[in-house]
Amino acid sequence: MADNNDWSVWLYEPSLALAIIATAVYTIPFLWITYLTIFKYRAWYFICVSIGGIFEVVGYALRSYSTQNHQDIGSFATSTSLIVLAPIFVAAGNYLLIGRLIRAVLPPSHHRVLKVPARLLTRIFVSFDVVCFLVQSSGSSLASAYGWVGPTADIAINILLAGLALQVLAFSTYLCILTRFYYLSRSMVVANAPLGWSKVLKAVCISSSLILIRCIYRMIEFAEGTDGYTMTHEWVFWVFEGITMLIAISAFCIWYPSKYLGGSVVKEAQ
């Protein structure tokens, strides 16, 4: 009979050093983007990205603890749930920018992209994001309650997969609209378009593309299950989750939207 002390919630030997580094590194963009959002530009609409950032920081902090406490289901489950859900809030930040970009850059006659009015695009995608959050959080919460193992956890993971699939669909559609906007913006930018709007577009493209890659990775991971390569090799997690989301958030630290498009209260003079 196997020694109970050998049992672990982990399917590989997790790295404490990498978890600590991730916690520290994620803290930097979280603090910076929170400062820009709340204090410098008061761009409250973008607070969702800060929420995603704190999810990442706490998630990796708990991961650090869990690497040394292999039988603590609570810390493992909470860490996994926070890291899985964090990108939904960052995605919301991307969704909130498409309507602003269209109205700021294109002439009124082209405020429809793929026949959808710019004022509705944000509402549609944010609504999708809310549904994704509800589905993924319900699946993640149920899976966490069973330590991500067992028949009930398998059902929960399937629910989570459905939420991820919906997110991939929404993001793929969003990138199609973003691509269409890019081609329109090459030939019909209004004279009074904010200076530097293209930098915001660059940040959105980088962030959105990386979130899509990350969602596809998570779909593959959960679909393969506990015997799959992605769930049993830590490097895959760091490359397709840790690094991708760090860049997806940091892109907005470099090209903060309200610096170029204006915030909800304070607009920077161009």
mmCIF file with all atom_site columns, all heavy atoms in Angstrom, residues 213-235:
data_model
loop_
_atom_site.group_PDB
_atom_site.id
_atom_site.type_symbol
_atom_site.label_atom_id
_atom_site.label_alt_id
_atom_site.label_comp_id
_atom_site.label_asym_id
_atom_site.label_entity_id
_atom_site.label_seq_id
_atom_site.pdbx_PDB_ins_code
_atom_site.Cartn_x
_atom_site.Cartn_y
_atom_site.Cartn_z
_atom_site.occupancy
_atom_site.B_iso_or_equiv
_atom_site.pdbx_formal_charge
_atom_site.auth_seq_id
_atom_site.auth_comp_id
_atom_site.auth_asym_id
_atom_site.auth_atom_id
_atom_site.pdbx_PDB_model_num
ATOM 1   N N   . ILE A 1 213 ? -4.256  32.542 -27.699 1.00 0.00 ? 213 ILE A N   1
ATOM 2   C CA  . ILE A 1 213 ? -3.309  31.425 -27.633 1.00 0.00 ? 213 ILE A CA  1
ATOM 3   C C   . ILE A 1 213 ? -3.416  30.714 -26.290 1.00 0.00 ? 213 ILE A C   1
ATOM 4   O O   . ILE A 1 213 ? -3.450  29.484 -26.215 1.00 0.00 ? 213 ILE A O   1
ATOM 5   C CB  . ILE A 1 213 ? -1.866  31.927 -27.859 1.00 0.00 ? 213 ILE A CB  1
ATOM 6   C CG1 . ILE A 1 213 ? -1.689  32.389 -29.309 1.00 0.00 ? 213 ILE A CG1 1
ATOM 7   C CG2 . ILE A 1 213 ? -0.848  30.837 -27.518 1.00 0.00 ? 213 ILE A CG2 1
ATOM 8   C CD1 . ILE A 1 213 ? -0.382  33.100 -29.570 1.00 0.00 ? 213 ILE A CD1 1
ATOM 9   N N   . ARG A 1 214 ? -3.507  31.501 -25.229 1.00 0.00 ? 214 ARG A N   1
ATOM 10  C CA  . ARG A 1 214 ? -3.616  30.929 -23.884 1.00 0.00 ? 214 ARG A CA  1
ATOM 11  C C   . ARG A 1 214 ? -4.899  30.127 -23.717 1.00 0.00 ? 214 ARG A C   1
ATOM 12  O O   . ARG A 1 214 ? -4.908  29.050 -23.116 1.00 0.00 ? 214 ARG A O   1
ATOM 13  C CB  . ARG A 1 214 ? -3.537  32.067 -22.866 1.00 0.00 ? 214 ARG A CB  1
ATOM 14  C CG  . ARG A 1 214 ? -3.767  31.624 -21.428 1.00 0.00 ? 214 ARG A CG  1
ATOM 15  C CD  . ARG A 1 214 ? -5.224  31.805 -21.045 1.00 0.00 ? 214 ARG A CD  1
ATOM 16  N NE  . ARG A 1 214 ? -5.511  31.276 -19.724 1.00 0.00 ? 214 ARG A NE  1
ATOM 17  C CZ  . ARG A 1 214 ? -6.744  31.057 -19.291 1.00 0.00 ? 214 ARG A CZ  1
ATOM 18  N NH1 . ARG A 1 214 ? -7.773  31.302 -20.064 1.00 0.00 ? 214 ARG A NH1 1
ATOM 19  N NH2 . ARG A 1 214 ? -6.936  30.573 -18.077 1.00 0.00 ? 214 ARG A NH2 1
ATOM 20  N N   . CYS A 1 215 ? -6.017  30.632 -24.253 1.00 0.00 ? 215 CYS A N   1
ATOM 21  C CA  . CYS A 1 215 ? -7.295  29.914 -24.148 1.00 0.00 ? 215 CYS A CA  1
ATOM 22  C C   . CYS A 1 215 ? -7.256  28.588 -24.911 1.00 0.00 ? 215 CYS A C   1
ATOM 23  O O   . CYS A 1 215 ? -7.798  27.579 -24.442 1.00 0.00 ? 215 CYS A O   1
ATOM 24  C CB  . CYS A 1 215 ? -8.433  30.785 -24.668 1.00 0.00 ? 215 CYS A CB  1
ATOM 25  S SG  . CYS A 1 215 ? -8.845  32.177 -23.599 1.00 0.00 ? 215 CYS A SG  1
ATOM 26  N N   . ILE A 1 216 ? -6.630  28.595 -26.073 1.00 0.00 ? 216 ILE A N   1
ATOM 27  C CA  . ILE A 1 216 ? -6.507  27.363 -26.855 1.00 0.00 ? 216 ILE A CA  1
ATOM 28  C C   . ILE A 1 216 ? -5.663  26.342 -26.090 1.00 0.00 ? 216 ILE A C   1
ATOM 29  O O   . ILE A 1 216 ? -5.989  25.149 -26.044 1.00 0.00 ? 216 ILE A O   1
ATOM 30  C CB  . ILE A 1 216 ? -5.893  27.658 -28.239 1.00 0.00 ? 216 ILE A CB  1
ATOM 31  C CG1 . ILE A 1 216 ? -6.867  28.499 -29.073 1.00 0.00 ? 216 ILE A CG1 1
ATOM 32  C CG2 . ILE A 1 216 ? -5.544  26.351 -28.971 1.00 0.00 ? 216 ILE A CG2 1
ATOM 33  C CD1 . ILE A 1 216 ? -6.290  28.993 -30.381 1.00 0.00 ? 216 ILE A CD1 1
ATOM 34  N N   . TYR A 1 217 ? -4.593  26.833 -25.466 1.00 0.00 ? 217 TYR A N   1
ATOM 35  C CA  . TYR A 1 217 ? -3.758  25.953 -24.645 1.00 0.00 ? 217 TYR A CA  1
ATOM 36  C C   . TYR A 1 217 ? -4.568  25.324 -23.515 1.00 0.00 ? 217 TYR A C   1
ATOM 37  O O   . TYR A 1 217 ? -4.487  24.109 -23.269 1.00 0.00 ? 217 TYR A O   1
ATOM 38  C CB  . TYR A 1 217 ? -2.571  26.729 -24.072 1.00 0.00 ? 217 TYR A CB  1
ATOM 39  C CG  . TYR A 1 217 ? -2.116  26.252 -22.711 1.00 0.00 ? 217 TYR A CG  1
ATOM 40  C CD1 . TYR A 1 217 ? -1.546  24.986 -22.544 1.00 0.00 ? 217 TYR A CD1 1
ATOM 41  C CD2 . TYR A 1 217 ? -2.283  27.052 -21.570 1.00 0.00 ? 217 TYR A CD2 1
ATOM 42  C CE1 . TYR A 1 217 ? -1.149  24.541 -21.284 1.00 0.00 ? 217 TYR A CE1 1
ATOM 43  C CE2 . TYR A 1 217 ? -1.890  26.625 -20.327 1.00 0.00 ? 217 TYR A CE2 1
ATOM 44  C CZ  . TYR A 1 217 ? -1.327  25.364 -20.178 1.00 0.00 ? 217 TYR A CZ  1
ATOM 45  O OH  . TYR A 1 217 ? -0.951  24.920 -18.936 1.00 0.00 ? 217 TYR A OH  1
ATOM 46  N N   . ARG A 1 218 ? -5.361  26.145 -22.819 1.00 0.00 ? 218 ARG A N   1
ATOM 47  C CA  . ARG A 1 218 ? -6.155  25.627 -21.711 1.00 0.00 ? 218 ARG A CA  1
ATOM 48  C C   . ARG A 1 218 ? -7.192  24.617 -22.184 1.00 0.00 ? 218 ARG A C   1
ATOM 49  O O   . ARG A 1 218 ? -7.468  23.618 -21.503 1.00 0.00 ? 218 ARG A O   1
ATOM 50  C CB  . ARG A 1 218 ? -6.842  26.783 -20.977 1.00 0.00 ? 218 ARG A CB  1
ATOM 51  C CG  . ARG A 1 218 ? -5.938  27.560 -20.027 1.00 0.00 ? 218 ARG A CG  1
ATOM 52  C CD  . ARG A 1 218 ? -5.419  26.668 -18.906 1.00 0.00 ? 218 ARG A CD  1
ATOM 53  N NE  . ARG A 1 218 ? -4.795  27.447 -17.831 1.00 0.00 ? 218 ARG A NE  1
ATOM 54  C CZ  . ARG A 1 218 ? -4.283  26.922 -16.741 1.00 0.00 ? 218 ARG A CZ  1
ATOM 55  N NH1 . ARG A 1 218 ? -4.299  25.609 -16.563 1.00 0.00 ? 218 ARG A NH1 1
ATOM 56  N NH2 . ARG A 1 218 ? -3.732  27.672 -15.810 1.00 0.00 ? 218 ARG A NH2 1
ATOM 57  N N   . MET A 1 219 ? -7.768  24.853 -23.351 1.00 0.00 ? 219 MET A N   1
ATOM 58  C CA  . MET A 1 219 ? -8.726  23.896 -23.902 1.00 0.00 ? 219 MET A CA  1
ATOM 59  C C   . MET A 1 219 ? -8.059  22.548 -24.152 1.00 0.00 ? 219 MET A C   1
ATOM 60  O O   . MET A 1 219 ? -8.595  21.489 -23.821 1.00 0.00 ? 219 MET A O   1
ATOM 61  C CB  . MET A 1 219 ? -9.322  24.429 -25.209 1.00 0.00 ? 219 MET A CB  1
ATOM 62  C CG  . MET A 1 219 ? -10.417 25.457 -25.033 1.00 0.00 ? 219 MET A CG  1
ATOM 63  S SD  . MET A 1 219 ? -11.193 25.862 -26.620 1.00 0.00 ? 219 MET A SD  1
ATOM 64  C CE  . MET A 1 219 ? -11.923 24.277 -27.047 1.00 0.00 ? 219 MET A CE  1
ATOM 65  N N   . ILE A 1 220 ? -6.869  22.593 -24.728 1.00 0.00 ? 220 ILE A N   1
ATOM 66  C CA  . ILE A 1 220 ? -6.123  21.364 -25.000 1.00 0.00 ? 220 ILE A CA  1
ATOM 67  C C   . ILE A 1 220 ? -5.771  20.664 -23.693 1.00 0.00 ? 220 ILE A C   1
ATOM 68  O O   . ILE A 1 220 ? -5.916  19.443 -23.559 1.00 0.00 ? 220 ILE A O   1
ATOM 69  C CB  . ILE A 1 220 ? -4.843  21.672 -25.803 1.00 0.00 ? 220 ILE A CB  1
ATOM 70  C CG1 . ILE A 1 220 ? -5.207  22.184 -27.198 1.00 0.00 ? 220 ILE A CG1 1
ATOM 71  C CG2 . ILE A 1 220 ? -3.951  20.428 -25.912 1.00 0.00 ? 220 ILE A CG2 1
ATOM 72  C CD1 . ILE A 1 220 ? -4.030  22.708 -27.990 1.00 0.00 ? 220 ILE A CD1 1
ATOM 73  N N   . GLU A 1 221 ? -5.330  21.439 -22.718 1.00 0.00 ? 221 GLU A N   1
ATOM 74  C CA  . GLU A 1 221 ? -4.922  20.883 -21.428 1.00 0.00 ? 221 GLU A CA  1
ATOM 75  C C   . GLU A 1 221 ? -6.068  20.141 -20.750 1.00 0.00 ? 221 GLU A C   1
ATOM 76  O O   . GLU A 1 221 ? -5.929  18.974 -20.356 1.00 0.00 ? 221 GLU A O   1
ATOM 77  C CB  . GLU A 1 221 ? -4.424  21.997 -20.518 1.00 0.00 ? 221 GLU A CB  1
ATOM 78  C CG  . GLU A 1 221 ? -3.997  21.502 -19.133 1.00 0.00 ? 221 GLU A CG  1
ATOM 79  C CD  . GLU A 1 221 ? -3.729  22.629 -18.159 1.00 0.00 ? 221 GLU A CD  1
ATOM 80  O OE1 . GLU A 1 221 ? -4.483  23.630 -18.181 1.00 0.00 ? 221 GLU A OE1 1
ATOM 81  O OE2 . GLU A 1 221 ? -2.779  22.507 -17.370 1.00 0.00 ? 221 GLU A OE2 1
ATOM 82  N N   . PHE A 1 222 ? -7.204  20.806 -20.625 1.00 0.00 ? 222 PHE A N   1
ATOM 83  C CA  . PHE A 1 222 ? -8.334  20.180 -19.934 1.00 0.00 ? 222 PHE A CA  1
ATOM 84  C C   . PHE A 1 222 ? -8.958  19.052 -20.752 1.00 0.00 ? 222 PHE A C   1
ATOM 85  O O   . PHE A 1 222 ? -9.489  18.099 -20.193 1.00 0.00 ? 222 PHE A O   1
ATOM 86  C CB  . PHE A 1 222 ? -9.382  21.233 -19.569 1.00 0.00 ? 222 PHE A CB  1
ATOM 87  C CG  . PHE A 1 222 ? -8.933  22.167 -18.480 1.00 0.00 ? 222 PHE A CG  1
ATOM 88  C CD1 . PHE A 1 222 ? -8.932  23.541 -18.673 1.00 0.00 ? 222 PHE A CD1 1
ATOM 89  C CD2 . PHE A 1 222 ? -8.497  21.679 -17.259 1.00 0.00 ? 222 PHE A CD2 1
ATOM 90  C CE1 . PHE A 1 222 ? -8.516  24.411 -17.671 1.00 0.00 ? 222 PHE A CE1 1
ATOM 91  C CE2 . PHE A 1 222 ? -8.064  22.530 -16.242 1.00 0.00 ? 222 PHE A CE2 1
ATOM 92  C CZ  . PHE A 1 222 ? -8.080  23.894 -16.450 1.00 0.00 ? 222 PHE A CZ  1
ATOM 93  N N   . ALA A 1 223 ? -8.896  19.177 -22.077 1.00 0.00 ? 223 ALA A N   1
ATOM 94  C CA  . ALA A 1 223 ? -9.435  18.118 -22.931 1.00 0.00 ? 223 ALA A CA  1
ATOM 95  C C   . ALA A 1 223 ? -8.591  16.848 -22.831 1.00 0.00 ? 223 ALA A C   1
ATOM 96  O O   . ALA A 1 223 ? -9.116  15.730 -22.841 1.00 0.00 ? 223 ALA A O   1
ATOM 97  C CB  . ALA A 1 223 ? -9.512  18.588 -24.382 1.00 0.00 ? 223 ALA A CB  1
ATOM 98  N N   . GLU A 1 224 ? -7.268  17.008 -22.726 1.00 0.00 ? 224 GLU A N   1
ATOM 99  C CA  . GLU A 1 224 ? -6.374  15.847 -22.593 1.00 0.00 ? 224 GLU A CA  1
ATOM 100 C C   . GLU A 1 224 ? -6.547  15.146 -21.251 1.00 0.00 ? 224 GLU A C   1
ATOM 101 O O   . GLU A 1 224 ? -6.372  13.930 -21.154 1.00 0.00 ? 224 GLU A O   1
ATOM 102 C CB  . GLU A 1 224 ? -4.915  16.286 -22.752 1.00 0.00 ? 224 GLU A CB  1
ATOM 103 C CG  . GLU A 1 224 ? -4.505  16.612 -24.166 1.00 0.00 ? 224 GLU A CG  1
ATOM 104 C CD  . GLU A 1 224 ? -3.029  16.951 -24.270 1.00 0.00 ? 224 GLU A CD  1
ATOM 105 O OE1 . GLU A 1 224 ? -2.421  17.299 -23.226 1.00 0.00 ? 224 GLU A OE1 1
ATOM 106 O OE2 . GLU A 1 224 ? -2.479  16.874 -25.376 1.00 0.00 ? 224 GLU A OE2 1
ATOM 107 N N   . GLY A 1 225 ? -6.866  15.923 -20.218 1.00 0.00 ? 225 GLY A N   1
ATOM 108 C CA  . GLY A 1 225 ? -7.042  15.334 -18.894 1.00 0.00 ? 225 GLY A CA  1
ATOM 109 C C   . GLY A 1 225 ? -5.727  15.137 -18.161 1.00 0.00 ? 225 GLY A C   1
ATOM 110 O O   . GLY A 1 225 ? -4.656  15.567 -18.614 1.00 0.00 ? 225 GLY A O   1
ATOM 111 N N   . THR A 1 226 ? -5.810  14.457 -17.026 1.00 0.00 ? 226 THR A N   1
ATOM 112 C CA  . THR A 1 226 ? -4.644  14.311 -16.149 1.00 0.00 ? 226 THR A CA  1
ATOM 113 C C   . THR A 1 226 ? -3.545  13.429 -16.739 1.00 0.00 ? 226 THR A C   1
ATOM 114 O O   . THR A 1 226 ? -2.427  13.428 -16.224 1.00 0.00 ? 226 THR A O   1
ATOM 115 C CB  . THR A 1 226 ? -5.070  13.728 -14.791 1.00 0.00 ? 226 THR A CB  1
ATOM 116 O OG1 . THR A 1 226 ? -5.774  12.490 -15.002 1.00 0.00 ? 226 THR A OG1 1
ATOM 117 C CG2 . THR A 1 226 ? -5.991  14.694 -14.053 1.00 0.00 ? 226 THR A CG2 1
ATOM 118 N N   . ASP A 1 227 ? -3.856  12.675 -17.778 1.00 0.00 ? 227 ASP A N   1
ATOM 119 C CA  . ASP A 1 227 ? -2.837  11.828 -18.402 1.00 0.00 ? 227 ASP A CA  1
ATOM 120 C C   . ASP A 1 227 ? -2.173  12.505 -19.593 1.00 0.00 ? 227 ASP A C   1
ATOM 121 O O   . ASP A 1 227 ? -1.262  11.945 -20.200 1.00 0.00 ? 227 ASP A O   1
ATOM 122 C CB  . ASP A 1 227 ? -3.465  10.496 -18.861 1.00 0.00 ? 227 ASP A CB  1
ATOM 123 C CG  . ASP A 1 227 ? -3.954  9.664  -17.692 1.00 0.00 ? 227 ASP A CG  1
ATOM 124 O OD1 . ASP A 1 227 ? -3.310  9.718  -16.625 1.00 0.00 ? 227 ASP A OD1 1
ATOM 125 O OD2 . ASP A 1 227 ? -4.979  8.968  -17.841 1.00 0.00 ? 227 ASP A OD2 1
ATOM 126 N N   . GLY A 1 228 ? -2.645  13.701 -19.935 1.00 0.00 ? 228 GLY A N   1
ATOM 127 C CA  . GLY A 1 228 ? -2.112  14.400 -21.104 1.00 0.00 ? 228 GLY A CA  1
ATOM 128 C C   . GLY A 1 228 ? -0.754  15.031 -20.864 1.00 0.00 ? 228 GLY A C   1
ATOM 129 O O   . GLY A 1 228 ? -0.355  15.289 -19.723 1.00 0.00 ? 228 GLY A O   1
ATOM 130 N N   . TYR A 1 229 ? -0.065  15.331 -21.947 1.00 0.00 ? 229 TYR A N   1
ATOM 131 C CA  . TYR A 1 229 ? 1.276   15.910 -21.863 1.00 0.00 ? 229 TYR A CA  1
ATOM 132 C C   . TYR A 1 229 ? 1.236   17.293 -21.233 1.00 0.00 ? 229 TYR A C   1
ATOM 133 O O   . TYR A 1 229 ? 2.086   17.636 -20.391 1.00 0.00 ? 229 TYR A O   1
ATOM 134 C CB  . TYR A 1 229 ? 1.891   15.993 -23.260 1.00 0.00 ? 229 TYR A CB  1
ATOM 135 C CG  . TYR A 1 229 ? 3.319   16.505 -23.262 1.00 0.00 ? 229 TYR A CG  1
ATOM 136 C CD1 . TYR A 1 229 ? 4.389   15.612 -23.129 1.00 0.00 ? 229 TYR A CD1 1
ATOM 137 C CD2 . TYR A 1 229 ? 3.606   17.860 -23.386 1.00 0.00 ? 229 TYR A CD2 1
ATOM 138 C CE1 . TYR A 1 229 ? 5.707   16.073 -23.114 1.00 0.00 ? 229 TYR A CE1 1
ATOM 139 C CE2 . TYR A 1 229 ? 4.911   18.331 -23.376 1.00 0.00 ? 229 TYR A CE2 1
ATOM 140 C CZ  . TYR A 1 229 ? 5.956   17.433 -23.236 1.00 0.00 ? 229 TYR A CZ  1
ATOM 141 O OH  . TYR A 1 229 ? 7.256   17.893 -23.218 1.00 0.00 ? 229 TYR A OH  1
ATOM 142 N N   . THR A 1 230 ? 0.256   18.114 -21.639 1.00 0.00 ? 230 THR A N   1
ATOM 143 C CA  . THR A 1 230 ? 0.230   19.504 -21.164 1.00 0.00 ? 230 THR A CA  1
ATOM 144 C C   . THR A 1 230 ? 0.005   19.608 -19.659 1.00 0.00 ? 230 THR A C   1
ATOM 145 O O   . THR A 1 230 ? 0.510   20.532 -19.017 1.00 0.00 ? 230 THR A O   1
ATOM 146 C CB  . THR A 1 230 ? -0.876  20.306 -21.881 1.00 0.00 ? 230 THR A CB  1
ATOM 147 O OG1 . THR A 1 230 ? -2.116  19.603 -21.755 1.00 0.00 ? 230 THR A OG1 1
ATOM 148 C CG2 . THR A 1 230 ? -0.551  20.471 -23.349 1.00 0.00 ? 230 THR A CG2 1
ATOM 149 N N   . MET A 1 231 ? -0.741  18.677 -19.086 1.00 0.00 ? 231 MET A N   1
ATOM 150 C CA  . MET A 1 231 ? -1.037  18.748 -17.658 1.00 0.00 ? 231 MET A CA  1
ATOM 151 C C   . MET A 1 231 ? 0.037   18.087 -16.799 1.00 0.00 ? 231 MET A C   1
ATOM 152 O O   . MET A 1 231 ? 0.056   18.248 -15.582 1.00 0.00 ? 231 MET A O   1
ATOM 153 C CB  . MET A 1 231 ? -2.403  18.118 -17.360 1.00 0.00 ? 231 MET A CB  1
ATOM 154 C CG  . MET A 1 231 ? -3.028  18.578 -16.055 1.00 0.00 ? 231 MET A CG  1
ATOM 155 S SD  . MET A 1 231 ? -4.739  18.020 -15.797 1.00 0.00 ? 231 MET A SD  1
ATOM 156 C CE  . MET A 1 231 ? -5.633  19.209 -16.777 1.00 0.00 ? 231 MET A CE  1
ATOM 157 N N   . THR A 1 232 ? 0.947   17.371 -17.425 1.00 0.00 ? 232 THR A N   1
ATOM 158 C CA  . THR A 1 232 ? 1.974   16.661 -16.660 1.00 0.00 ? 232 THR A CA  1
ATOM 159 C C   . THR A 1 232 ? 3.381   17.221 -16.884 1.00 0.00 ? 232 THR A C   1
ATOM 160 O O   . THR A 1 232 ? 4.352   16.648 -16.403 1.00 0.00 ? 232 THR A O   1
ATOM 161 C CB  . THR A 1 232 ? 1.969   15.163 -17.027 1.00 0.00 ? 232 THR A CB  1
ATOM 162 O OG1 . THR A 1 232 ? 2.106   15.006 -18.442 1.00 0.00 ? 232 THR A OG1 1
ATOM 163 C CG2 . THR A 1 232 ? 0.667   14.500 -16.569 1.00 0.00 ? 232 THR A CG2 1
ATOM 164 N N   . HIS A 1 233 ? 3.476   18.334 -17.627 1.00 0.00 ? 233 HIS A N   1
ATOM 165 C CA  . HIS A 1 233 ? 4.781   18.961 -17.869 1.00 0.00 ? 233 HIS A CA  1
ATOM 166 C C   . HIS A 1 233 ? 4.679   20.456 -17.568 1.00 0.00 ? 233 HIS A C   1
ATOM 167 O O   . HIS A 1 233 ? 3.932   21.183 -18.247 1.00 0.00 ? 233 HIS A O   1
ATOM 168 C CB  . HIS A 1 233 ? 5.236   18.735 -19.314 1.00 0.00 ? 233 HIS A CB  1
ATOM 169 C CG  . HIS A 1 233 ? 5.580   17.303 -19.604 1.00 0.00 ? 233 HIS A CG  1
ATOM 170 N ND1 . HIS A 1 233 ? 4.613   16.340 -19.809 1.00 0.00 ? 233 HIS A ND1 1
ATOM 171 C CD2 . HIS A 1 233 ? 6.784   16.670 -19.697 1.00 0.00 ? 233 HIS A CD2 1
ATOM 172 C CE1 . HIS A 1 233 ? 5.197   15.172 -20.035 1.00 0.00 ? 233 HIS A CE1 1
ATOM 173 N NE2 . HIS A 1 233 ? 6.509   15.339 -19.954 1.00 0.00 ? 233 HIS A NE2 1
ATOM 174 N N   . GLU A 1 234 ? 5.424   20.899 -16.577 1.00 0.00 ? 234 GLU A N   1
ATOM 175 C CA  . GLU A 1 234 ? 5.279   22.267 -16.078 1.00 0.00 ? 234 GLU A CA  1
ATOM 176 C C   . GLU A 1 234 ? 5.694   23.323 -17.094 1.00 0.00 ? 234 GLU A C   1
ATOM 177 O O   . GLU A 1 234 ? 5.132   24.421 -17.111 1.00 0.00 ? 234 GLU A O   1
ATOM 178 C CB  . GLU A 1 234 ? 6.085   22.439 -14.785 1.00 0.00 ? 234 GLU A CB  1
ATOM 179 C CG  . GLU A 1 234 ? 5.826   23.775 -14.103 1.00 0.00 ? 234 GLU A CG  1
ATOM 180 C CD  . GLU A 1 234 ? 6.554   23.927 -12.782 1.00 0.00 ? 234 GLU A CD  1
ATOM 181 O OE1 . GLU A 1 234 ? 7.563   23.225 -12.570 1.00 0.00 ? 234 GLU A OE1 1
ATOM 182 O OE2 . GLU A 1 234 ? 6.116   24.749 -11.950 1.00 0.00 ? 234 GLU A OE2 1
ATOM 183 N N   . TRP A 1 235 ? 6.659   23.030 -17.955 1.00 0.00 ? 235 TRP A N   1
ATOM 184 C CA  . TRP A 1 235 ? 7.143   24.049 -18.884 1.00 0.00 ? 235 TRP A CA  1
ATOM 185 C C   . TRP A 1 235 ? 6.030   24.561 -19.794 1.00 0.00 ? 235 TRP A C   1
ATOM 186 O O   . TRP A 1 235 ? 6.019   25.749 -20.179 1.00 0.00 ? 235 TRP A O   1
ATOM 187 C CB  . TRP A 1 235 ? 8.307   23.514 -19.725 1.00 0.00 ? 235 TRP A CB  1
ATOM 188 C CG  . TRP A 1 235 ? 7.914   22.555 -20.823 1.00 0.00 ? 235 TRP A CG  1
ATOM 189 C CD1 . TRP A 1 235 ? 7.906   21.193 -20.764 1.00 0.00 ? 235 TRP A CD1 1
ATOM 190 C CD2 . TRP A 1 235 ? 7.466   22.894 -22.133 1.00 0.00 ? 235 TRP A CD2 1
ATOM 191 N NE1 . TRP A 1 235 ? 7.478   20.651 -21.951 1.00 0.00 ? 235 TRP A NE1 1
ATOM 192 C CE2 . TRP A 1 235 ? 7.206   21.676 -22.819 1.00 0.00 ? 235 TRP A CE2 1
ATOM 193 C CE3 . TRP A 1 235 ? 7.265   24.094 -22.810 1.00 0.00 ? 235 TRP A CE3 1
ATOM 194 C CZ2 . TRP A 1 235 ? 6.750   21.632 -24.134 1.00 0.00 ? 235 TRP A CZ2 1
ATOM 195 C CZ3 . TRP A 1 235 ? 6.803   24.061 -24.121 1.00 0.00 ? 235 TRP A CZ3 1
ATOM 196 C CH2 . TRP A 1 235 ? 6.558   22.840 -24.771 1.00 0.00 ? 235 TRP A CH2 1
#
